Amino acid sequence: MSEKLWGGRFREETDVQVDAFNASIGFDWRLFAHDIEGSMAHCRMLAKQGIITEEEAGRIIEALGEIRRELEHGEYPADEDYEDIHSLVEKALVDKVGPLGEKLHTGRSRNDQVALDARLFVREAVSHLDELLQRLQEALLDQAEKNVDLIMPGYTHLQRAQPVLLAHHLMAYFEMFHRDRDRLRDALKRVNVLPLGSAALAGSTFDLDRDMVAEELGFEAVSRNSMDAVSDRDFVLEYLACASILMMHLSRLCEELVLWSSREFGFAAISDAFCTGSSIMPQKKNPDIPELIRGKTGRVYGHLVSLLTTMKGLPLAYNKDMQEDKEALFDTVDTVEACVGILARLMGEVTFHGERMLEATQRGYLAATDLADYLVRKGMTFRQAHETVGRMVLFAVEQGKELHELTLEQMKGFARRIEKDVYEWLDPVMCLDRRNITGGTGPGVVRERLKKARRELGL
Ligand code: ARG
């Protein structure tokens, strides 16, 4: 390990295994651009405050720019030769500008530095995820528009319940992703707070202009308590929590894609490019991608629970336990980005089988609720109507028939007030038409929603 940032107080060399165990460079190298961005802002402020000279600041900033380019080209090995990214950048700086480089850390601790880096990283991750979610929403919207006339069974308990539009079903996910984006954007308010200036835990003795640094870095506020600022990771947890909820939504959509592309349902087919085969069963075409996304959900939940657990017993302020936030964060970012990105593409590659879905709405008594509503319109209370239709369904089940296959005479046996117009109430197309209520599956309101959704996406 190269020379320590904290060597002065020590008589003996650190144990080699301890160095390796303690180091975070193997993963926190990913913060290099954020670390340098934060250092540049800090450096400009030091000069403005007269803590270092403008000339010194200029040389430091130029060297930091070079280091960033070198890091982008992988010129520093991310191994245990450095303790963490902060030491690496500082060493590289001293290599370039000599002892002047050591001035950069004036008024700063790695504790507020790492909190800053993580905030910058999360902010970038939020905006990237937002873009990816926009693409996924576009794909869902495109499919909903393309298949706007397709009728399918809506389910509860995975039992056929009432007919719905496929577009309405797909748009349910659109709304979930809309809220996911909203949640992420809301979290950003709490991410966008500058911790720098908190130093190790108690604030700095230098006259730092924290507002200036905040403004340079595009933060909306500066932290109000130095101990809080260096020792909380709730902004990371919020990202992980948003990611977990998002993964839950992705997983449900994927579960439906798996079900729908099964022979049993036969509602949809995923294009070959997004499926895989079996090494032994030549006929197989498997929906591995939705399955994998469903599977990766557990891993993201795991990161959330792991960091919550890491944080729960920590006394204020900084503790090294908190170094464990990074792998959880990085892996979550990688996982959700990969999942949303591939699902957005896969969604565009799904073909829906309208006939098969329509057929499914005609078996399983999906119009029973409408029949009860019909009886209410003919003067029954809803409970009476429910009971009557329940008995009609039982009768039909015994006859091996659907409701619309019963004769008028048979129906009249259950309720004399049933008339010929009842058959309209049993037609799935009519069932939909009766639901043009805000938020319902009626074709009129669904089309309206699609139009509005397109505008919301800025398309
Ligand atoms: N690698 C450390 C982390 O990730 C950086 C902060 C180190 N601070 C300290 N006092 N040891 O948390």
Side-chain angles (χ1 to χ4, degrees):
M1 170 108 10
S2 52
E3 211 181 302
K4 301 280 184 322
L5 295 178
W6 35 261
R9 189 236 174 276
F10 288 76
R11 278 210 199 92
E12 287 175 53
E13 284 290 308
T14 325
D15 178 276
V16 175
Q17 205 180 347
V18 168
D19 266 342
F21 187 74
N22 189 48
S24 53
I25 187 67
F27 45 87
D28 68 11
W29 61 268
R30 286 186 64 164
L31 294 173
F32 76 84
H34 313 88
D35 196 72
I36 290 175
E37 188 189 353
S39 286
M40 285 176 166
H42 180 66
C43 181
R44 280 192 201 99
M45 182 275 294
L46 290 179
K48 197 208 124 213
Q49 295 302 92
I51 299 167
I52 61 176
T53 68
E54 290 290 348
E55 189 268 336
E56 288 175 325
R59 278 163 57 208
I60 291 176
I61 286 168
E62 200 191 318
L64 286 172
E66 274 172 35
I67 295 165
R68 178 160 56 197
R69 279 191 295 280
E70 288 161 8
L71 280 160
E72 277 160 6
H73 293 107
E75 285 176 30
Y76 295 89
D79 57 24
E80 299 88 63
D81 227 36
Y82 306 92
E83 185 178 338
D84 52 28
I85 187 62
H86 325 295
S87 340
L88 184 152
V89 172
E90 186 170 323
K91 292 268 165 53
L93 182 63
V94 172
D95 283 349
K96 283 189 190 294
V97 300
L100 165 64
E102 296 171 1
K103 290 194 179 181
L104 173 64
H105 211 51
T106 311
R108 192 173 71 168
S109 156
R110 276 186 299 164
N111 296 352
D112 55 351
Q113 187 178 357
V114 74
L116 171 65
D117 294 2
R119 282 172 185 274
L120 291 170
F121 183 89
V122 170
R123 186 168 78 181
E124 193 177 275
V126 165
S127 92
H128 195 201
L129 187 51
D130 185 67
E131 279 166 36
L132 290 166
L133 281 169
Q134 160 100 11
R135 272 189 244 159
L136 178 56
Q137 284 187 298
E138 281 175 28
L140 283 164
L141 184 57
D142 287 347
Q143 284 287 16
E145 285 172 342
K146 191 161 119 198
N147 299 288
V148 69
D149 294 322
L150 302 193
I151 299 176
M152 69 181 296
Y155 294 80
T156 65
H157 312 268
L158 204 54
Q159 308 288 319
R160 290 179 192 171
Q162 292 175 351
V164 294
L165 283 181
L166 169 68
H168 194 54
H169 195 136
L170 294 176
M171 288 302 283
Y173 287 102
F174 181 98
E175 303 298 346
M176 296 178 218
F177 298 130
H178 174 85
R179 288 193 299 280
D180 287 323
R181 293 178 72 184
D182 213 39
R183 240 185 303 278
L184 283 161
R185 266 195 294 264
D186 193 71
L188 216 45
K189 283 192 267 180
R190 288 169 293 280
V191 172
N192 258 334
V193 177
L194 180 84
L196 219 59
S198 304
L201 74 162
S204 171
T205 60
F206 291 95
D207 177 28
L208 309 178
D209 184 349
R210 301 189 66 206
D211 292 320
M212 173 186 168
V213 181
E215 198 174 325
E216 282 232 5
L217 295 173
F219 282 129
E220 279 156 27
V222 298
S223 58
R224 296 188 293 233
N225 183 301
S226 58
M227 297 182 76
D228 171 41
V230 292
S231 73
D232 205 356
R233 291 293 180 267
D234 57 357
F235 64 97
V236 177
L237 285 165
E238 259 190 89
Y239 178 86
L240 300 184
C242 291
S244 295
I245 295 174
L246 163 61
M247 287 303 297
M248 178 270 294
H249 290 152
L250 294 180
S251 184
R252 294 184 74 179
L253 173 53
C254 286
E255 166 67 11
E256 302 219 82
L257 291 172
V258 172
L259 284 173
W260 293 350
S261 59
S262 69
R263 185 74 182 248
E264 281 66 16
F265 276 78
F267 290 176
I270 303 169
S271 78
D272 283 5
F274 286 82
C275 290
T276 62
S278 157
S279 62
I280 179 171
M281 297 169 284
Q283 85 284 12
K284 294 284 296 240
K285 179 177 157 183
N286 296 326
D288 291 38
I289 301 310
E291 289 170 334
L292 254 182
I293 296 173
R294 195 177 59 191
K296 285 175 191 292
T297 305
R299 153 178 183 163
V300 171
Y301 292 1
H303 291 317
L304 171 63
V305 174
S306 117
L307 186 59
L308 282 168
T309 312
T310 297
M311 296 302 296
K312 75 180 269 291
L314 300 187
L316 299 188
Y318 179 84
N319 298 269
K320 193 60 172 254
D321 313 47
M322 289 156 64
Q323 181 164 287
E324 288 289 310
D325 63 352
K326 279 166 213 68
E327 285 158 296
L329 173 61
F330 297 157
D331 189 66
T332 298
V333 169
D334 294 344
T335 304
V336 291
E337 287 182 359
C339 290
V340 176
I342 200 161
L343 189 58
R345 294 183 54 221
L346 181 145
M347 243 2 266
E349 300 280 327
V350 180
T351 313
F352 292 98
H353 301 150
E355 257 175 49
R356 173 84 191 189
M357 291 193 287
L358 184 62
E359 210 179 274
T361 60
Q362 275 149 351
R363 304 261 141 225
Y365 312 98
L366 286 85
T369 312
D370 288 56
L371 181 53
D373 287 354
Y374 168 83
L375 293 176
V376 169
R377 280 174 172 80
K378 297 280 177 184
M380 278 192 190
T381 67
F382 186 75
R383 282 297 146 224
Q384 279 174 330
H386 188 289
E387 168 74 22
T388 306
V389 176
R391 280 191 275 110
M392 289 171 78
V393 169
L394 190 59
F395 173 77
V397 170
E398 281 163 2
Q399 304 285 309
K401 294 218 149 84
E402 285 295 317
L403 288 171
H404 64 270
E405 290 165 345
L406 300 180
T407 65
L408 187 55
E409 279 319 299
Q410 285 172 320
M411 289 204 245
K412 274 186 178 295
F414 291 91
R416 312 246 340 245
R417 40 191 124 186
I418 298 181
E419 287 159 77
K420 242 177 82 192
D421 61 348
V422 72
Y423 290 101
E424 273 171 36
W425 284 72
L426 300 177
D427 175 353
V429 176
M430 304 297 273
C431 290
L432 289 175
D433 276 340
R434 279 186 288 269
R435 289 181 169 77
N436 275 309
I437 180 171
T438 304
T441 190
V445 285
V446 169
R447 277 171 204 273
E448 272 310 303
R449 181 67 197 112
L450 294 180
K451 267 195 234 147
K452 224 171 151 211
R454 190 153 277 278
R455 284 202 299 275
E456 279 167 19
L457 293 185
L459 300 172

